[in-house]
Amino acid sequence: MRAFRLPRTTGQTVKDLRDGDKPNAGVSLAGESPSGRAQKAATEGVEQGRGETATSGSKPGVSPSGGASAGESAETSKHAAPGRRRRRRRRKTAAKAAVVATPAQADGGSVTEVPAPKTAASAPESGKPSTGKSRRRRRKPGRAIQGRPLARQTAPGQPEDASPVGKPVQVQAGERSLGNGAAHAAAQPRRQYDDLYAALDLGTNNCRLLVAQPTRPGQFRVVDAFSRIVRLGEGLDATGELSAGAMDRAVEALKICASKLKSRPVRRQRLIATEACRSARNGTEFLERVERETGLQLEIVTRETEARLAVAGCSSLVERDTDGLVLFDIGGGSSEIAMIDLTENRSNRLANHIKAWTSLPVGVVTLSERHGGCMVTREVFEAMVAEVDDLLSAFVAPPLPAFSGLGDDRMHLLGTSGTVTTLAGLHLELPRYDRRKVDGLWLSNSEVDRMLDMLLSWDFDARAANPCIGADRADLVLAGCAILQSIRKRWPSQRMRVADRGLREGLLNEMMAADGAWRGRGRNFRNRKQRPHPGAKS
């Protein structure tokens, strides 16, 4: 039962409504027994929770019984019912949600009322109960201030008095109203990430571009990619020069790459050209034309650099229990082979463990043009393998512990080229080539033999009809298989791993490692302002 609360009076006595006398201490109008707290409050003549006297003629803050101060009566209010504290909190919440009045004109005109700004804890306008996930998604794009702002927030370049906090927001017809935090977020454009890296590889057969962003140490996320078969080295083996049609196809593909690079805030990029431009007499003139028409400055890399980049691009596919491997990259005009020994002082950079390497001046384009790629019989295939064997015989490798024959199960082949990825797609019987299923796949020695026999049994039309080969590579795939077969004869291994990666990934790994993109990387690394690298190209 609620206790009787004595009303405040000024200079008057309080009369009981029933008998005309002063009410007894804590006696309710219904005649029920009062509670102990109500009786104490009525006896002392203090209104509960107020700290003021209710008798006539008394000063505020002093009780008539013993001159008790307001602090003592406040001590009594600490033990008030929890319901009263909840009511006080509700009154404060209601005061926050009340309308705020702001002057509409500086000359003392009318006052405009606008709703108070919404906080992160407010419910959505739709009336549905909001979840924590939806609130996170709503706050993430603009990084708006959560809760009540402690200070006025202004957008960059905006004067201090122009801050939208505490002022009505002008909303055009058809637009949704925004709170002050959302309006502040809309005034600040979202800053783009400045840690994007780009790598371009113009090879004898393909033109490839990759734009990526570093994530965890040694890894990156692909933002954009481009690949097109241009056959820049078409007819190069016979004439020694790049043909006009091949250069035109390459320039058109490079224009697409240039537009992709201009549309993204790339922090650093490296654009390379390989064997076709390296061996052609007019390779330098072609790169000058590329710079004039596309604005891209390509550099011709050496065979040693090409082999090192191929190794750097495949470092994440080497397992911890591997002692040695032979990494090969079968290109369009050349093939790079590297022998890697991991038995001593193993480090994270795989390129530091290259003990021997060689570059064969033969690739899928040059070999198919010499022997014919459309009509390939078993005799023609054996002739191609014999030619590659002669080139490999000139390479003398030093004795290495990983290749001594003591641990053959800890040594394997690692191939990064269109030839090995095609064999992997055929082995998986994919209806459409899928990089996620091919990259990192293991193939046994018997499985590779079975794929080679199947390809030799097909004619040109059957190879072109396969979705993992296509018409563009139907005349090149058997030439690549001949180079692979020669490598397998030189370094016998029970298994081979397939890598759908190569020079572009190696370029990205080296640029990110040189810039320290993975050093001390945290959750807010992407939002930190990065200084441009001194050797970066704009």
Side-chain angles (χ1 to χ4, degrees):
M1 180 64 67
R2 180 179 298 176
F4 176 75
R5 179 178 297 176
L6 297 177
R8 298 183 186 179
T9 58
T10 304
Q12 296 179 359
T13 58
V14 179
K15 299 292 184 179
D16 189 271
L17 299 178
R18 295 176 298 177
D19 52 9
D21 297 330
K22 185 180 263 189
N24 218 0
V27 178
S28 64
L29 294 179
E32 298 180 357
S33 300
S35 62
R37 186 178 301 170
Q39 183 176 1
K40 180 180 179 181
T43 304
E44 295 178 354
V46 179
E47 185 178 1
Q48 293 186 16
R50 300 291 183 179
E52 297 178 355
T53 57
T55 56
S56 61
S58 61
K59 295 183 180 181
V62 180
S63 63
S65 59
S69 63
E72 296 176 353
S73 60
E75 182 69 20
T76 306
S77 65
K78 291 182 181 180
H79 304 284
R84 187 172 302 281
R85 290 196 296 270
R86 285 195 294 268
R87 284 195 295 272
R88 286 199 296 270
R89 285 196 294 266
R90 283 196 290 268
R91 285 197 296 270
K92 292 181 181 179
T93 305
K96 294 179 184 178
V99 296
V100 293
T102 57
Q105 302 293 336
D107 56 355
S110 60
V111 175
T112 306
E113 292 186 354
V114 296
K118 293 182 179 180
T119 61
S122 61
E125 296 179 1
S126 58
K128 297 179 181 181
S130 61
T131 61
K133 186 175 182 181
S134 62
R135 287 198 296 270
R136 286 196 297 272
R137 288 180 178 176
R138 193 162 54 248
R139 293 195 298 260
K140 185 177 180 180
R143 296 286 193 266
I145 301 173
Q146 307 304 321
R148 292 184 299 170
L150 299 179
R152 298 179 59 180
Q153 305 292 324
T154 58
Q158 187 179 8
E160 187 69 21
D161 56 352
S163 176
V165 179
K167 295 186 178 181
V169 180
Q170 299 293 335
V171 180
Q172 300 293 336
E175 296 183 357
R176 193 171 65 179
S177 175
L178 299 175
N180 286 341
H184 171 67
Q188 288 183 341
R190 188 178 179 181
R191 188 168 67 84
Q192 294 175 313
Y193 296 150
D194 53 1
D195 54 348
L196 294 181
Y197 293 79
L200 187 144
D201 170 27
L202 179 61
T204 306
N205 190 47
N206 290 276
C207 176
R208 299 185 179 98
L209 172 69
L210 202 62
V211 181
Q213 184 179 42
T215 54
R216 291 180 295 178
Q219 299 183 15
F220 53 80
R221 179 179 65 89
V222 176
V223 177
D224 198 358
F226 173 79
S227 178
R228 176 177 292 183
I229 296 178
V230 296
R231 294 213 177 185
L232 182 60
E234 185 179 27
L236 176 62
D237 187 62
T239 62
E241 293 184 351
L242 302 175
S243 63
M247 290 189 292
D248 292 340
R249 292 192 298 268
V251 169
E252 291 300 322
L254 290 172
K255 287 181 180 178
I256 299 176
C257 297
S259 63
K260 288 179 174 291
L261 292 176
K262 291 179 181 178
S263 63
R264 296 187 180 277
V266 177
R267 180 173 184 259
R268 191 177 180 188
Q269 63 186 15
R270 190 175 180 187
L271 320 175
I272 66 171
T274 56
E275 181 64 24
C277 297
R278 188 166 53 221
S279 59
R281 289 192 296 267
N282 58 345
T284 305
E285 290 80 359
F286 168 68
L287 295 185
E288 293 175 356
R289 175 190 170 185
V290 169
E291 185 176 358
R292 288 194 309 268
E293 298 186 14
T294 66
L296 301 178
Q297 297 180 0
L298 277 70
E299 59 172 317
I300 301 177
V301 296
T302 62
R303 290 188 174 96
E304 182 180 1
T305 302
E306 190 173 353
R308 180 176 52 82
L309 291 175
V311 173
C314 301
S315 58
S316 60
L317 294 180
V318 180
E319 297 179 347
R320 300 295 300 176
D321 58 349
T322 302
D323 289 340
L325 68 149
V326 177
L327 190 145
F328 58 91
D329 181 9
I330 303 176
S334 65
S335 299
E336 282 67 39
I337 304 173
M339 299 180 65
I340 302 172
D341 192 344
L342 300 171
T343 55
E344 297 180 358
N345 299 326
R346 181 164 182 166
S347 63
N348 293 330
R349 302 194 68 175
L350 190 64
N352 296 338
H353 298 277
I354 300 177
K355 303 302 181 180
W357 69 276
T358 184
S359 179
L360 305 180
V362 63
V364 295
V365 175
T366 55
L367 196 61
S368 63
E369 289 180 353
R370 294 176 191 174
H371 297 271
C374 296
M375 302 298 296
V376 180
T377 61
R378 291 189 178 271
E379 291 75 14
V380 174
F381 183 77
E382 292 297 334
M384 290 191 289
V385 174
E387 180 179 349
V388 182
D389 289 342
D390 294 339
L391 295 174
L392 271 179
S393 62
F395 172 65
V396 179
L400 299 174
F403 299 90
S404 60
L406 300 178
D408 292 339
D409 56 339
R410 300 174 68 89
M411 192 276 293
H412 64 85
L413 300 178
L414 178 58
T416 164
S417 63
T419 300
V420 293
T421 56
T422 299
L423 294 178
L426 294 176
H427 170 70
L428 297 175
E429 299 180 355
L430 298 177
R432 183 181 178 183
Y433 183 79
D434 190 351
R435 181 188 182 276
R436 296 171 297 179
K437 297 180 179 180
V438 169
D439 187 37
L441 179 69
W442 287 97
L443 293 177
S444 64
N445 202 17
S446 59
E447 291 171 345
V448 176
D449 290 337
R450 183 172 62 87
M451 294 300 104
L452 292 179
D453 292 338
M454 183 175 63
L455 283 174
L456 286 173
S457 64
W458 290 354
D459 58 2
F460 177 82
D461 294 334
R463 295 195 299 268
N466 188 275
C468 294
I469 301 175
D472 294 334
R473 299 186 54 85
D475 59 335
L476 305 176
V477 61
L478 284 176
C481 291
I483 300 175
L484 171 62
Q485 185 68 6
S486 179
I487 295 174
R488 295 176 65 210
K489 289 170 60 178
R490 177 66 183 272
W491 292 281
S493 177
Q494 296 299 323
R495 55 179 183 163
M496 178 183 70
R497 195 166 198 184
V498 180
D500 189 357
R501 57 186 70 194
L503 300 183
R504 297 175 301 169
E505 289 78 7
L507 290 170
L508 293 174
N509 284 335
E510 290 202 343
M511 287 188 293
M512 293 176 185
D515 286 353
W518 296 309
R519 190 182 305 121
R521 191 165 182 80
R523 296 180 62 182
N524 297 325
F525 178 85
R526 297 177 181 174
N527 295 327
R528 294 205 302 264
K529 184 62 178 177
Q530 301 292 325
R531 292 181 297 178
H533 192 272
K537 295 182 180 180
S538 58

mmCIF file of all heavy atoms in Angstrom, residues 233-258:
data_model
loop_
_atom_site.group_PDB
_atom_site.id
_atom_site.type_symbol
_atom_site.label_atom_id
_atom_site.label_comp_id
_atom_site.label_asym_id
_atom_site.label_seq_id
_atom_site.Cartn_x
_atom_site.Cartn_y
_atom_site.Cartn_z
ATOM 1 N N GLY A 233 53.987 -13.511 -79.672
ATOM 2 C CA GLY A 233 55.121 -14.164 -80.326
ATOM 3 C C GLY A 233 54.771 -14.951 -81.563
ATOM 4 O O GLY A 233 55.578 -15.787 -82.004
ATOM 5 N N GLU A 234 53.625 -14.705 -82.151
ATOM 6 C CA GLU A 234 53.223 -15.431 -83.359
ATOM 7 C C GLU A 234 54.151 -15.072 -84.528
ATOM 8 O O GLU A 234 54.307 -13.905 -84.883
ATOM 9 C CB GLU A 234 51.779 -15.091 -83.716
ATOM 10 C CG GLU A 234 51.219 -15.873 -84.878
ATOM 11 C CD GLU A 234 49.777 -15.507 -85.158
ATOM 12 O OE1 GLU A 234 49.394 -14.368 -84.842
ATOM 13 O OE2 GLU A 234 49.035 -16.344 -85.685
ATOM 14 N N GLY A 235 54.775 -16.081 -85.120
ATOM 15 C CA GLY A 235 55.701 -15.876 -86.228
ATOM 16 C C GLY A 235 57.065 -15.356 -85.829
ATOM 17 O O GLY A 235 57.902 -15.092 -86.695
ATOM 18 N N LEU A 236 57.327 -15.211 -84.541
ATOM 19 C CA LEU A 236 58.605 -14.668 -84.085
ATOM 20 C C LEU A 236 59.751 -15.628 -84.373
ATOM 21 O O LEU A 236 60.855 -15.199 -84.733
ATOM 22 C CB LEU A 236 58.516 -14.361 -82.589
ATOM 23 C CG LEU A 236 59.798 -13.871 -81.899
ATOM 24 C CD1 LEU A 236 60.264 -12.550 -82.498
ATOM 25 C CD2 LEU A 236 59.575 -13.738 -80.401
ATOM 26 N N ASP A 237 59.519 -16.928 -84.249
ATOM 27 C CA ASP A 237 60.598 -17.897 -84.449
ATOM 28 C C ASP A 237 61.067 -17.919 -85.906
ATOM 29 O O ASP A 237 62.237 -18.187 -86.181
ATOM 30 C CB ASP A 237 60.115 -19.286 -84.033
ATOM 31 C CG ASP A 237 61.221 -20.317 -84.054
ATOM 32 O OD1 ASP A 237 62.190 -20.140 -83.294
ATOM 33 O OD2 ASP A 237 61.117 -21.288 -84.835
ATOM 34 N N ALA A 238 60.177 -17.616 -86.823
ATOM 35 C CA ALA A 238 60.540 -17.657 -88.246
ATOM 36 C C ALA A 238 61.127 -16.345 -88.735
ATOM 37 O O ALA A 238 62.070 -16.339 -89.536
ATOM 38 C CB ALA A 238 59.316 -18.028 -89.089
ATOM 39 N N THR A 239 60.621 -15.220 -88.264
ATOM 40 C CA THR A 239 61.050 -13.915 -88.779
ATOM 41 C C THR A 239 61.986 -13.175 -87.836
ATOM 42 O O THR A 239 62.737 -12.296 -88.272
ATOM 43 C CB THR A 239 59.829 -13.029 -89.051
ATOM 44 O OG1 THR A 239 59.123 -12.813 -87.821
ATOM 45 C CG2 THR A 239 58.879 -13.713 -90.046
ATOM 46 N N GLY A 240 61.917 -13.465 -86.556
ATOM 47 C CA GLY A 240 62.738 -12.753 -85.585
ATOM 48 C C GLY A 240 62.175 -11.406 -85.184
ATOM 49 O O GLY A 240 62.834 -10.657 -84.440
ATOM 50 N N GLU A 241 60.973 -11.078 -85.614
ATOM 51 C CA GLU A 241 60.332 -9.808 -85.287
ATOM 52 C C GLU A 241 58.878 -10.047 -84.897
ATOM 53 O O GLU A 241 58.261 -11.054 -85.284
ATOM 54 C CB GLU A 241 60.392 -8.839 -86.477
ATOM 55 C CG GLU A 241 61.788 -8.362 -86.837
ATOM 56 C CD GLU A 241 61.751 -7.351 -87.956
ATOM 57 O OE1 GLU A 241 60.659 -7.160 -88.554
ATOM 58 O OE2 GLU A 241 62.797 -6.753 -88.250
ATOM 59 N N LEU A 242 58.338 -9.091 -84.180
ATOM 60 C CA LEU A 242 56.924 -9.124 -83.823
ATOM 61 C C LEU A 242 56.099 -8.688 -85.037
ATOM 62 O O LEU A 242 56.392 -7.657 -85.661
ATOM 63 C CB LEU A 242 56.642 -8.219 -82.631
ATOM 64 C CG LEU A 242 57.426 -8.510 -81.342
ATOM 65 C CD1 LEU A 242 57.118 -7.450 -80.296
ATOM 66 C CD2 LEU A 242 57.111 -9.896 -80.818
ATOM 67 N N SER A 243 55.073 -9.451 -85.358
ATOM 68 C CA SER A 243 54.231 -9.115 -86.501
ATOM 69 C C SER A 243 53.301 -7.959 -86.169
ATOM 70 O O SER A 243 53.028 -7.665 -84.986
ATOM 71 C CB SER A 243 53.423 -10.339 -86.925
ATOM 72 O OG SER A 243 52.544 -10.732 -85.889
ATOM 73 N N ALA A 244 52.795 -7.304 -87.204
ATOM 74 C CA ALA A 244 51.908 -6.146 -87.008
ATOM 75 C C ALA A 244 50.600 -6.567 -86.349
ATOM 76 O O ALA A 244 50.087 -5.883 -85.446
ATOM 77 C CB ALA A 244 51.647 -5.450 -88.343
ATOM 78 N N GLY A 245 50.043 -7.700 -86.788
ATOM 79 C CA GLY A 245 48.790 -8.157 -86.187
ATOM 80 C C GLY A 245 48.949 -8.521 -84.720
ATOM 81 O O GLY A 245 48.070 -8.234 -83.898
ATOM 82 N N ALA A 246 50.064 -9.151 -84.373
ATOM 83 C CA ALA A 246 50.298 -9.524 -82.978
ATOM 84 C C ALA A 246 50.453 -8.286 -82.102
ATOM 85 O O ALA A 246 49.935 -8.230 -80.974
ATOM 86 C CB ALA A 246 51.530 -10.413 -82.876
ATOM 87 N N MET A 247 51.150 -7.269 -82.603
ATOM 88 C CA MET A 247 51.313 -6.049 -81.821
ATOM 89 C C MET A 247 49.988 -5.321 -81.640
ATOM 90 O O MET A 247 49.720 -4.756 -80.569
ATOM 91 C CB MET A 247 52.350 -5.145 -82.484
ATOM 92 C CG MET A 247 53.763 -5.679 -82.400
ATOM 93 S SD MET A 247 55.019 -4.488 -82.967
ATOM 94 C CE MET A 247 54.651 -4.430 -84.720
ATOM 95 N N ASP A 248 49.157 -5.338 -82.677
ATOM 96 C CA ASP A 248 47.839 -4.694 -82.555
ATOM 97 C C ASP A 248 46.993 -5.382 -81.488
ATOM 98 O O ASP A 248 46.316 -4.714 -80.689
ATOM 99 C CB ASP A 248 47.119 -4.716 -83.900
ATOM 100 C CG ASP A 248 47.801 -3.829 -84.931
ATOM 101 O OD1 ASP A 248 48.561 -2.933 -84.520
ATOM 102 O OD2 ASP A 248 47.572 -4.045 -86.142
ATOM 103 N N ARG A 249 47.001 -6.713 -81.476
ATOM 104 C CA ARG A 249 46.227 -7.432 -80.450
ATOM 105 C C ARG A 249 46.739 -7.127 -79.052
ATOM 106 O O ARG A 249 45.957 -6.956 -78.108
ATOM 107 C CB ARG A 249 46.299 -8.942 -80.721
ATOM 108 C CG ARG A 249 45.579 -9.404 -81.966
ATOM 109 C CD ARG A 249 45.450 -10.909 -81.984
ATOM 110 N NE ARG A 249 46.752 -11.580 -81.998
ATOM 111 C CZ ARG A 249 47.398 -11.950 -83.098
ATOM 112 N NH1 ARG A 249 46.858 -11.704 -84.295
ATOM 113 N NH2 ARG A 249 48.561 -12.575 -83.022
ATOM 114 N N ALA A 250 48.054 -7.041 -78.915
ATOM 115 C CA ALA A 250 48.617 -6.752 -77.596
ATOM 116 C C ALA A 250 48.286 -5.340 -77.142
ATOM 117 O O ALA A 250 47.984 -5.110 -75.955
ATOM 118 C CB ALA A 250 50.127 -6.974 -77.627
ATOM 119 N N VAL A 251 48.324 -4.379 -78.054
ATOM 120 C CA VAL A 251 48.024 -2.990 -77.686
ATOM 121 C C VAL A 251 46.575 -2.854 -77.242
ATOM 122 O O VAL A 251 46.265 -2.130 -76.273
ATOM 123 C CB VAL A 251 48.362 -2.049 -78.848
ATOM 124 C CG1 VAL A 251 47.812 -0.654 -78.594
ATOM 125 C CG2 VAL A 251 49.865 -1.980 -79.074
ATOM 126 N N GLU A 252 45.660 -3.530 -77.927
ATOM 127 C CA GLU A 252 44.256 -3.457 -77.531
ATOM 128 C C GLU A 252 44.043 -4.032 -76.140
ATOM 129 O O GLU A 252 43.257 -3.495 -75.351
ATOM 130 C CB GLU A 252 43.390 -4.206 -78.553
ATOM 131 C CG GLU A 252 43.323 -3.534 -79.913
ATOM 132 C CD GLU A 252 42.750 -2.128 -79.833
ATOM 133 O OE1 GLU A 252 41.800 -1.922 -79.034
ATOM 134 O OE2 GLU A 252 43.249 -1.243 -80.548
ATOM 135 N N ALA A 253 44.722 -5.119 -75.823
ATOM 136 C CA ALA A 253 44.602 -5.684 -74.480
ATOM 137 C C ALA A 253 45.231 -4.775 -73.430
ATOM 138 O O ALA A 253 44.697 -4.617 -72.317
ATOM 139 C CB ALA A 253 45.252 -7.068 -74.434
ATOM 140 N N LEU A 254 46.339 -4.133 -73.784
ATOM 141 C CA LEU A 254 46.988 -3.234 -72.827
ATOM 142 C C LEU A 254 46.168 -1.976 -72.582
ATOM 143 O O LEU A 254 46.266 -1.375 -71.502
ATOM 144 C CB LEU A 254 48.384 -2.872 -73.332
ATOM 145 C CG LEU A 254 49.414 -4.009 -73.305
ATOM 146 C CD1 LEU A 254 50.702 -3.582 -73.999
ATOM 147 C CD2 LEU A 254 49.702 -4.452 -71.881
ATOM 148 N N LYS A 255 45.373 -1.549 -73.537
ATOM 149 C CA LYS A 255 44.495 -0.400 -73.311
ATOM 150 C C LYS A 255 43.459 -0.717 -72.240
ATOM 151 O O LYS A 255 43.116 0.148 -71.411
ATOM 152 C CB LYS A 255 43.811 -0.004 -74.612
ATOM 153 C CG LYS A 255 44.727 0.670 -75.627
ATOM 154 C CD LYS A 255 43.957 1.054 -76.886
ATOM 155 C CE LYS A 255 44.879 1.739 -77.904
ATOM 156 N NZ LYS A 255 44.159 2.092 -79.161
ATOM 157 N N ILE A 256 42.957 -1.944 -72.242
ATOM 158 C CA ILE A 256 42.007 -2.343 -71.195
ATOM 159 C C ILE A 256 42.703 -2.352 -69.834
ATOM 160 O O ILE A 256 42.133 -1.899 -68.822
ATOM 161 C CB ILE A 256 41.411 -3.719 -71.530
ATOM 162 C CG1 ILE A 256 40.660 -3.666 -72.867
ATOM 163 C CG2 ILE A 256 40.491 -4.192 -70.413
ATOM 164 C CD1 ILE A 256 40.112 -5.004 -73.318
ATOM 165 N N CYS A 257 43.928 -2.849 -69.811
ATOM 166 C CA CYS A 257 44.672 -2.855 -68.547
ATOM 167 C C CYS A 257 44.929 -1.433 -68.051
ATOM 168 O O CYS A 257 44.840 -1.165 -66.839
ATOM 169 C CB CYS A 257 45.991 -3.601 -68.731
ATOM 170 S SG CYS A 257 45.819 -5.347 -69.154
ATOM 171 N N ALA A 258 45.231 -0.514 -68.970
ATOM 172 C CA ALA A 258 45.487 0.868 -68.568
ATOM 173 C C ALA A 258 44.237 1.507 -67.977
ATOM 174 O O ALA A 258 44.320 2.255 -66.991
ATOM 175 C CB ALA A 258 45.980 1.675 -69.764
#
